[in-house]
Amino acid sequence: MNKYYSVASLLFLFVGLSVARAQTYLASAPAPAGEATTRKPAYLRLGLGTTYDINGGYRCGRLSVEYAPMLTHHFGLASRIVGVLGKPTNRFERQVPHQEYKAGYLEQEAVFYPFGADKKVLFGVGAGGFLGYYKKSTYSYLSLVSGKLTDYQLAAYEGFHGGYLLSLNLDVAVGTAQRWRVGLRSSVQNGTGGNTTSPTHSLTIARRL
């Protein structure tokens, strides 16, 4: 249990540092000559989607909360806390008891907006890294006869997992004030241990702060 508290504290510390760094940048960045100083927008974004367990064996649910400040007209940051939870969907594996995967991650990205960050339809390309902790309850041995479970040996794995990620982001402003955005986010994570490459897909909703 102490391991999970340590990881959670680390994730919140990283996000806090990222937010403070972004706010310091926004407050200190000089305005271009001849232009009035304007505050760059920042977004609080919720994502709900799917990913895979660390071995790529089955899909899991993915929930994320993100703070995303715009640094310039074409660049922004995305600091994200992610929770993952899932169980096997294969009808044979589902016969084995105590099968579950859960993980918590911090993701930090720099996002490039090639068409600008002031559009109603916003497209961004992100690159960054992730760090987290996972626990997988699984089996080391499984025996089936005529599709029915006859024998098994349970196993459990846990540890830190980290690496880099690349993402595509697309969202659309809603309403005349354009304070809300809905969109899609897809990413590929490549990390150490277990499954080296894992795709993720999420629906997102964001509010401008």
Side-chain angles (χ1 to χ4, degrees):
M1 184 63 69
N2 290 335
K3 293 181 180 178
Y4 290 107
Y5 284 131
S6 298
V7 173
S9 299
L10 181 63
L11 296 182
F12 280 107
L13 175 61
F14 281 165
V15 171
L17 290 174
S18 298
V19 171
R21 186 168 62 249
Q23 290 176 334
T24 300
Y25 178 92
L26 294 175
S28 62
E35 291 185 13
T37 300
T38 57
R39 181 185 176 188
K40 298 293 190 298
Y43 294 90
L44 185 64
R45 181 173 284 110
L46 179 69
L48 180 62
T50 63
T51 185
Y52 284 86
D53 69 281
I54 194 168
N55 303 115
Y58 51 84
R59 283 186 179 272
C60 300
R62 169 189 165 97
L63 178 66
S64 64
V65 179
E66 170 187 312
Y67 175 71
M70 300 296 185
L71 301 182
T72 71
H73 184 61
H74 289 284
F75 286 95
L77 293 179
S79 301
R80 194 177 301 113
I81 294 178
V82 180
V84 177
L85 182 65
K87 294 184 177 182
T89 54
N90 181 284
R91 67 188 183 93
F92 300 121
E93 292 181 316
R94 288 172 61 184
Q95 298 180 51
V96 184
H98 310 302
Q99 301 297 287
E100 185 179 61
Y101 178 78
K102 51 187 176 182
Y105 291 96
L106 169 82
E107 296 179 354
Q108 179 66 62
E109 284 188 276
V111 186
F112 172 57
Y113 301 94
F115 307 111
D118 58 349
K119 308 297 183 182
K120 183 172 182 178
V121 178
L122 194 60
F123 172 73
V125 179
F130 67 95
L131 175 67
Y133 197 84
Y134 76 93
K135 183 174 183 180
K136 183 174 182 178
S137 300
T138 182
Y139 58 88
S140 59
Y141 169 76
L142 176 65
S143 177
L144 296 167
V145 176
S146 299
K148 293 187 177 181
L149 182 68
T150 59
D151 192 19
Y152 62 89
Q153 179 68 48
L154 295 178
Y157 306 95
E158 59 183 307
F160 288 95
H161 183 53
Y164 68 87
L165 62 90
L166 302 172
S167 71
L168 295 176
N169 306 268
L170 181 69
D171 61 25
V172 180
V174 178
T176 55
Q178 298 189 8
R179 297 189 65 87
W180 292 91
R181 287 183 173 272
V182 294
L184 298 170
R185 178 179 182 274
S186 293
S187 71
V188 175
Q189 296 178 337
N190 197 318
T192 60
N195 185 34
T196 56
T197 303
S198 180
T200 74
H201 305 286
S202 296
L203 296 174
T204 63
I205 181 169
R207 188 182 190 278
R208 190 176 71 230
L209 300 177

PDB file of all heavy atoms in Angstrom, residues 175-202:
ATOM      1  N   GLY A 175     -20.422  25.987 -28.629  1.00  0.00           N
ATOM      2  CA  GLY A 175     -21.071  27.183 -28.125  1.00  0.00           C
ATOM      3  C   GLY A 175     -20.427  28.456 -28.646  1.00  0.00           C
ATOM      4  O   GLY A 175     -19.314  28.459 -29.162  1.00  0.00           O
ATOM      5  N   THR A 176     -21.146  29.561 -28.492  1.00  0.00           N
ATOM      6  CA  THR A 176     -20.658  30.844 -29.008  1.00  0.00           C
ATOM      7  C   THR A 176     -19.463  31.357 -28.217  1.00  0.00           C
ATOM      8  O   THR A 176     -18.556  31.971 -28.768  1.00  0.00           O
ATOM      9  CB  THR A 176     -21.790  31.881 -28.972  1.00  0.00           C
ATOM     10  OG1 THR A 176     -22.310  31.962 -27.632  1.00  0.00           O
ATOM     11  CG2 THR A 176     -22.913  31.489 -29.920  1.00  0.00           C
ATOM     12  N   ALA A 177     -19.445  31.097 -26.901  1.00  0.00           N
ATOM     13  CA  ALA A 177     -18.318  31.530 -26.068  1.00  0.00           C
ATOM     14  C   ALA A 177     -17.114  30.619 -26.221  1.00  0.00           C
ATOM     15  O   ALA A 177     -16.002  30.987 -25.842  1.00  0.00           O
ATOM     16  CB  ALA A 177     -18.729  31.581 -24.602  1.00  0.00           C
ATOM     17  N   GLN A 178     -17.314  29.431 -26.770  1.00  0.00           N
ATOM     18  CA  GLN A 178     -16.247  28.455 -27.015  1.00  0.00           C
ATOM     19  C   GLN A 178     -15.451  28.125 -25.752  1.00  0.00           C
ATOM     20  O   GLN A 178     -14.237  27.941 -25.787  1.00  0.00           O
ATOM     21  CB  GLN A 178     -15.311  28.943 -28.126  1.00  0.00           C
ATOM     22  CG  GLN A 178     -15.988  29.134 -29.457  1.00  0.00           C
ATOM     23  CD  GLN A 178     -15.021  29.413 -30.599  1.00  0.00           C
ATOM     24  OE1 GLN A 178     -13.805  29.323 -30.454  1.00  0.00           O
ATOM     25  NE2 GLN A 178     -15.569  29.754 -31.748  1.00  0.00           N
ATOM     26  N   ARG A 179     -16.162  28.018 -24.627  1.00  0.00           N
ATOM     27  CA  ARG A 179     -15.506  27.638 -23.375  1.00  0.00           C
ATOM     28  C   ARG A 179     -15.356  26.129 -23.253  1.00  0.00           C
ATOM     29  O   ARG A 179     -14.551  25.639 -22.449  1.00  0.00           O
ATOM     30  CB  ARG A 179     -16.263  28.190 -22.172  1.00  0.00           C
ATOM     31  CG  ARG A 179     -16.313  29.707 -22.110  1.00  0.00           C
ATOM     32  CD  ARG A 179     -16.884  30.190 -20.798  1.00  0.00           C
ATOM     33  NE  ARG A 179     -16.022  29.848 -19.669  1.00  0.00           N
ATOM     34  CZ  ARG A 179     -15.013  30.609 -19.250  1.00  0.00           C
ATOM     35  NH1 ARG A 179     -14.731  31.737 -19.877  1.00  0.00           N
ATOM     36  NH2 ARG A 179     -14.298  30.252 -18.210  1.00  0.00           N
ATOM     37  N   TRP A 180     -16.155  25.381 -24.006  1.00  0.00           N
ATOM     38  CA  TRP A 180     -16.119  23.925 -23.942  1.00  0.00           C
ATOM     39  C   TRP A 180     -15.617  23.354 -25.260  1.00  0.00           C
ATOM     40  O   TRP A 180     -15.878  23.906 -26.326  1.00  0.00           O
ATOM     41  CB  TRP A 180     -17.514  23.367 -23.646  1.00  0.00           C
ATOM     42  CG  TRP A 180     -18.001  23.693 -22.274  1.00  0.00           C
ATOM     43  CD1 TRP A 180     -18.727  24.787 -21.897  1.00  0.00           C
ATOM     44  CD2 TRP A 180     -17.782  22.936 -21.085  1.00  0.00           C
ATOM     45  NE1 TRP A 180     -18.987  24.761 -20.554  1.00  0.00           N
ATOM     46  CE2 TRP A 180     -18.420  23.634 -20.022  1.00  0.00           C
ATOM     47  CE3 TRP A 180     -17.119  21.733 -20.814  1.00  0.00           C
ATOM     48  CZ2 TRP A 180     -18.399  23.144 -18.715  1.00  0.00           C
ATOM     49  CZ3 TRP A 180     -17.107  21.262 -19.508  1.00  0.00           C
ATOM     50  CH2 TRP A 180     -17.741  21.959 -18.477  1.00  0.00           C
ATOM     51  N   ARG A 181     -14.910  22.233 -25.159  1.00  0.00           N
ATOM     52  CA  ARG A 181     -14.427  21.525 -26.342  1.00  0.00           C
ATOM     53  C   ARG A 181     -14.650  20.027 -26.165  1.00  0.00           C
ATOM     54  O   ARG A 181     -14.481  19.490 -25.060  1.00  0.00           O
ATOM     55  CB  ARG A 181     -12.937  21.791 -26.570  1.00  0.00           C
ATOM     56  CG  ARG A 181     -12.630  23.194 -27.083  1.00  0.00           C
ATOM     57  CD  ARG A 181     -11.145  23.383 -27.354  1.00  0.00           C
ATOM     58  NE  ARG A 181     -10.878  24.662 -28.006  1.00  0.00           N
ATOM     59  CZ  ARG A 181     -10.898  24.850 -29.324  1.00  0.00           C
ATOM     60  NH1 ARG A 181     -11.137  23.810 -30.118  1.00  0.00           N
ATOM     61  NH2 ARG A 181     -10.653  26.026 -29.839  1.00  0.00           N
ATOM     62  N   VAL A 182     -15.025  19.375 -27.251  1.00  0.00           N
ATOM     63  CA  VAL A 182     -15.128  17.914 -27.261  1.00  0.00           C
ATOM     64  C   VAL A 182     -14.203  17.390 -28.355  1.00  0.00           C
ATOM     65  O   VAL A 182     -14.000  18.057 -29.381  1.00  0.00           O
ATOM     66  CB  VAL A 182     -16.580  17.444 -27.512  1.00  0.00           C
ATOM     67  CG1 VAL A 182     -17.475  17.840 -26.362  1.00  0.00           C
ATOM     68  CG2 VAL A 182     -17.124  18.001 -28.824  1.00  0.00           C
ATOM     69  N   GLY A 183     -13.641  16.216 -28.133  1.00  0.00           N
ATOM     70  CA  GLY A 183     -12.686  15.754 -29.131  1.00  0.00           C
ATOM     71  C   GLY A 183     -12.273  14.305 -28.984  1.00  0.00           C
ATOM     72  O   GLY A 183     -12.879  13.521 -28.233  1.00  0.00           O
ATOM     73  N   LEU A 184     -11.214  13.972 -29.713  1.00  0.00           N
ATOM     74  CA  LEU A 184     -10.642  12.627 -29.751  1.00  0.00           C
ATOM     75  C   LEU A 184      -9.138  12.732 -29.529  1.00  0.00           C
ATOM     76  O   LEU A 184      -8.493  13.685 -29.976  1.00  0.00           O
ATOM     77  CB  LEU A 184     -10.902  11.960 -31.100  1.00  0.00           C
ATOM     78  CG  LEU A 184     -12.346  11.720 -31.507  1.00  0.00           C
ATOM     79  CD1 LEU A 184     -12.404  11.288 -32.974  1.00  0.00           C
ATOM     80  CD2 LEU A 184     -12.979  10.644 -30.629  1.00  0.00           C
ATOM     81  N   ARG A 185      -8.583  11.730 -28.853  1.00  0.00           N
ATOM     82  CA  ARG A 185      -7.137  11.669 -28.661  1.00  0.00           C
ATOM     83  C   ARG A 185      -6.679  10.228 -28.847  1.00  0.00           C
ATOM     84  O   ARG A 185      -7.248   9.310 -28.259  1.00  0.00           O
ATOM     85  CB  ARG A 185      -6.738  12.146 -27.269  1.00  0.00           C
ATOM     86  CG  ARG A 185      -5.235  12.057 -27.001  1.00  0.00           C
ATOM     87  CD  ARG A 185      -4.880  12.556 -25.612  1.00  0.00           C
ATOM     88  NE  ARG A 185      -3.451  12.499 -25.410  1.00  0.00           N
ATOM     89  CZ  ARG A 185      -2.795  11.413 -24.981  1.00  0.00           C
ATOM     90  NH1 ARG A 185      -3.468  10.307 -24.702  1.00  0.00           N
ATOM     91  NH2 ARG A 185      -1.482  11.431 -24.834  1.00  0.00           N
ATOM     92  N   SER A 186      -5.658  10.042 -29.682  1.00  0.00           N
ATOM     93  CA  SER A 186      -5.060   8.722 -29.892  1.00  0.00           C
ATOM     94  C   SER A 186      -3.564   8.845 -29.655  1.00  0.00           C
ATOM     95  O   SER A 186      -2.931   9.824 -30.068  1.00  0.00           O
ATOM     96  CB  SER A 186      -5.324   8.219 -31.316  1.00  0.00           C
ATOM     97  OG  SER A 186      -6.700   7.964 -31.512  1.00  0.00           O
ATOM     98  N   SER A 187      -2.996   7.835 -28.999  1.00  0.00           N
ATOM     99  CA  SER A 187      -1.562   7.875 -28.718  1.00  0.00           C
ATOM    100  C   SER A 187      -0.964   6.482 -28.822  1.00  0.00           C
ATOM    101  O   SER A 187      -1.670   5.476 -28.786  1.00  0.00           O
ATOM    102  CB  SER A 187      -1.291   8.455 -27.325  1.00  0.00           C
ATOM    103  OG  SER A 187      -1.696   7.548 -26.318  1.00  0.00           O
ATOM    104  N   VAL A 188       0.343   6.466 -28.953  1.00  0.00           N
ATOM    105  CA  VAL A 188       1.120   5.228 -28.906  1.00  0.00           C
ATOM    106  C   VAL A 188       2.168   5.392 -27.820  1.00  0.00           C
ATOM    107  O   VAL A 188       2.942   6.351 -27.841  1.00  0.00           O
ATOM    108  CB  VAL A 188       1.791   4.915 -30.256  1.00  0.00           C
ATOM    109  CG1 VAL A 188       2.685   3.687 -30.123  1.00  0.00           C
ATOM    110  CG2 VAL A 188       0.746   4.685 -31.332  1.00  0.00           C
ATOM    111  N   GLN A 189       2.178   4.458 -26.863  1.00  0.00           N
ATOM    112  CA  GLN A 189       3.159   4.476 -25.785  1.00  0.00           C
ATOM    113  C   GLN A 189       4.185   3.376 -26.024  1.00  0.00           C
ATOM    114  O   GLN A 189       3.830   2.260 -26.390  1.00  0.00           O
ATOM    115  CB  GLN A 189       2.484   4.257 -24.437  1.00  0.00           C
ATOM    116  CG  GLN A 189       1.515   5.354 -24.045  1.00  0.00           C
ATOM    117  CD  GLN A 189       0.839   5.078 -22.722  1.00  0.00           C
ATOM    118  OE1 GLN A 189       0.741   3.935 -22.289  1.00  0.00           O
ATOM    119  NE2 GLN A 189       0.370   6.121 -22.065  1.00  0.00           N
ATOM    120  N   ASN A 190       5.441   3.708 -25.804  1.00  0.00           N
ATOM    121  CA  ASN A 190       6.507   2.725 -25.929  1.00  0.00           C
ATOM    122  C   ASN A 190       7.334   2.781 -24.655  1.00  0.00           C
ATOM    123  O   ASN A 190       7.931   3.820 -24.362  1.00  0.00           O
ATOM    124  CB  ASN A 190       7.376   3.015 -27.156  1.00  0.00           C
ATOM    125  CG  ASN A 190       8.214   1.816 -27.551  1.00  0.00           C
ATOM    126  OD1 ASN A 190       8.776   1.140 -26.703  1.00  0.00           O
ATOM    127  ND2 ASN A 190       8.286   1.553 -28.842  1.00  0.00           N
ATOM    128  N   GLY A 191       7.314   1.680 -23.885  1.00  0.00           N
ATOM    129  CA  GLY A 191       7.957   1.725 -22.578  1.00  0.00           C
ATOM    130  C   GLY A 191       8.769   0.494 -22.247  1.00  0.00           C
ATOM    131  O   GLY A 191       8.924  -0.418 -23.069  1.00  0.00           O
ATOM    132  N   THR A 192       9.270   0.470 -21.031  1.00  0.00           N
ATOM    133  CA  THR A 192      10.092  -0.623 -20.548  1.00  0.00           C
ATOM    134  C   THR A 192       9.227  -1.675 -19.871  1.00  0.00           C
ATOM    135  O   THR A 192       8.226  -1.363 -19.236  1.00  0.00           O
ATOM    136  CB  THR A 192      11.115  -0.109 -19.531  1.00  0.00           C
ATOM    137  OG1 THR A 192      10.415   0.490 -18.429  1.00  0.00           O
ATOM    138  CG2 THR A 192      12.036   0.916 -20.166  1.00  0.00           C
ATOM    139  N   GLY A 193       9.621  -2.929 -20.015  1.00  0.00           N
ATOM    140  CA  GLY A 193       8.926  -4.001 -19.341  1.00  0.00           C
ATOM    141  C   GLY A 193       7.619  -4.378 -20.005  1.00  0.00           C
ATOM    142  O   GLY A 193       6.878  -3.541 -20.482  1.00  0.00           O
ATOM    143  N   GLY A 194       7.306  -5.672 -20.034  1.00  0.00           N
ATOM    144  CA  GLY A 194       6.034  -6.129 -20.582  1.00  0.00           C
ATOM    145  C   GLY A 194       5.847  -5.733 -22.031  1.00  0.00           C
ATOM    146  O   GLY A 194       6.714  -5.884 -22.880  1.00  0.00           O
ATOM    147  N   ASN A 195       4.676  -5.194 -22.316  1.00  0.00           N
ATOM    148  CA  ASN A 195       4.339  -4.774 -23.672  1.00  0.00           C
ATOM    149  C   ASN A 195       5.036  -3.456 -23.996  1.00  0.00           C
ATOM    150  O   ASN A 195       4.819  -2.456 -23.333  1.00  0.00           O
ATOM    151  CB  ASN A 195       2.816  -4.608 -23.777  1.00  0.00           C
ATOM    152  CG  ASN A 195       2.381  -4.283 -25.181  1.00  0.00           C
ATOM    153  OD1 ASN A 195       2.978  -4.746 -26.145  1.00  0.00           O
ATOM    154  ND2 ASN A 195       1.339  -3.495 -25.306  1.00  0.00           N
ATOM    155  N   THR A 196       5.875  -3.439 -25.012  1.00  0.00           N
ATOM    156  CA  THR A 196       6.638  -2.232 -25.309  1.00  0.00           C
ATOM    157  C   THR A 196       5.825  -1.188 -26.060  1.00  0.00           C
ATOM    158  O   THR A 196       6.106  -0.008 -25.978  1.00  0.00           O
ATOM    159  CB  THR A 196       7.886  -2.569 -26.140  1.00  0.00           C
ATOM    160  OG1 THR A 196       7.491  -3.254 -27.338  1.00  0.00           O
ATOM    161  CG2 THR A 196       8.827  -3.458 -25.339  1.00  0.00           C
ATOM    162  N   THR A 197       4.811  -1.605 -26.799  1.00  0.00           N
ATOM    163  CA  THR A 197       4.008  -0.658 -27.574  1.00  0.00           C
ATOM    164  C   THR A 197       2.528  -0.853 -27.272  1.00  0.00           C
ATOM    165  O   THR A 197       2.021  -1.963 -27.385  1.00  0.00           O
ATOM    166  CB  THR A 197       4.254  -0.823 -29.080  1.00  0.00           C
ATOM    167  OG1 THR A 197       5.640  -0.661 -29.359  1.00  0.00           O
ATOM    168  CG2 THR A 197       3.449   0.199 -29.868  1.00  0.00           C
ATOM    169  N   SER A 198       1.855   0.224 -26.888  1.00  0.00           N
ATOM    170  CA  SER A 198       0.444   0.135 -26.529  1.00  0.00           C
ATOM    171  C   SER A 198      -0.324   1.326 -27.077  1.00  0.00           C
ATOM    172  O   SER A 198      -0.008   2.471 -26.740  1.00  0.00           O
ATOM    173  CB  SER A 198       0.289   0.079 -25.003  1.00  0.00           C
ATOM    174  OG  SER A 198      -1.069   0.001 -24.636  1.00  0.00           O
ATOM    175  N   PRO A 199      -1.343   1.103 -27.929  1.00  0.00           N
ATOM    176  CA  PRO A 199      -2.161   2.209 -28.426  1.00  0.00           C
ATOM    177  C   PRO A 199      -3.251   2.571 -27.420  1.00  0.00           C
ATOM    178  O   PRO A 199      -3.772   1.719 -26.712  1.00  0.00           O
ATOM    179  CB  PRO A 199      -2.762   1.639 -29.712  1.00  0.00           C
ATOM    180  CG  PRO A 199      -2.860   0.161 -29.443  1.00  0.00           C
ATOM    181  CD  PRO A 199      -1.693  -0.181 -28.559  1.00  0.00           C
ATOM    182  N   THR A 200      -3.600   3.842 -27.351  1.00  0.00           N
ATOM    183  CA  THR A 200      -4.706   4.301 -26.525  1.00  0.00           C
ATOM    184  C   THR A 200      -5.620   5.185 -27.360  1.00  0.00           C
ATOM    185  O   THR A 200      -5.155   5.882 -28.264  1.00  0.00           O
ATOM    186  CB  THR A 200      -4.227   5.097 -25.294  1.00  0.00           C
ATOM    187  OG1 THR A 200      -3.778   6.390 -25.708  1.00  0.00           O
ATOM    188  CG2 THR A 200      -3.077   4.381 -24.586  1.00  0.00           C
ATOM    189  N   HIS A 201      -6.911   5.160 -27.041  1.00  0.00           N
ATOM    190  CA  HIS A 201      -7.891   5.989 -27.738  1.00  0.00           C
ATOM    191  C   HIS A 201      -8.883   6.525 -26.697  1.00  0.00           C
ATOM    192  O   HIS A 201      -9.369   5.762 -25.865  1.00  0.00           O
ATOM    193  CB  HIS A 201      -8.639   5.184 -28.803  1.00  0.00           C
ATOM    194  CG  HIS A 201      -7.740   4.509 -29.791  1.00  0.00           C
ATOM    195  ND1 HIS A 201      -7.085   5.189 -30.790  1.00  0.00           N
ATOM    196  CD2 HIS A 201      -7.374   3.205 -29.908  1.00  0.00           C
ATOM    197  CE1 HIS A 201      -6.369   4.348 -31.508  1.00  0.00           C
ATOM    198  NE2 HIS A 201      -6.517   3.148 -30.988  1.00  0.00           N
ATOM    199  N   SER A 202      -9.162   7.839 -26.763  1.00  0.00           N
ATOM    200  CA  SER A 202     -10.027   8.450 -25.755  1.00  0.00           C
ATOM    201  C   SER A 202     -10.941   9.499 -26.382  1.00  0.00           C
ATOM    202  O   SER A 202     -10.555  10.205 -27.316  1.00  0.00           O
ATOM    203  CB  SER A 202      -9.185   9.125 -24.660  1.00  0.00           C
ATOM    204  OG  SER A 202      -8.422   8.204 -23.953  1.00  0.00           O
TER     205      SER A 202
END
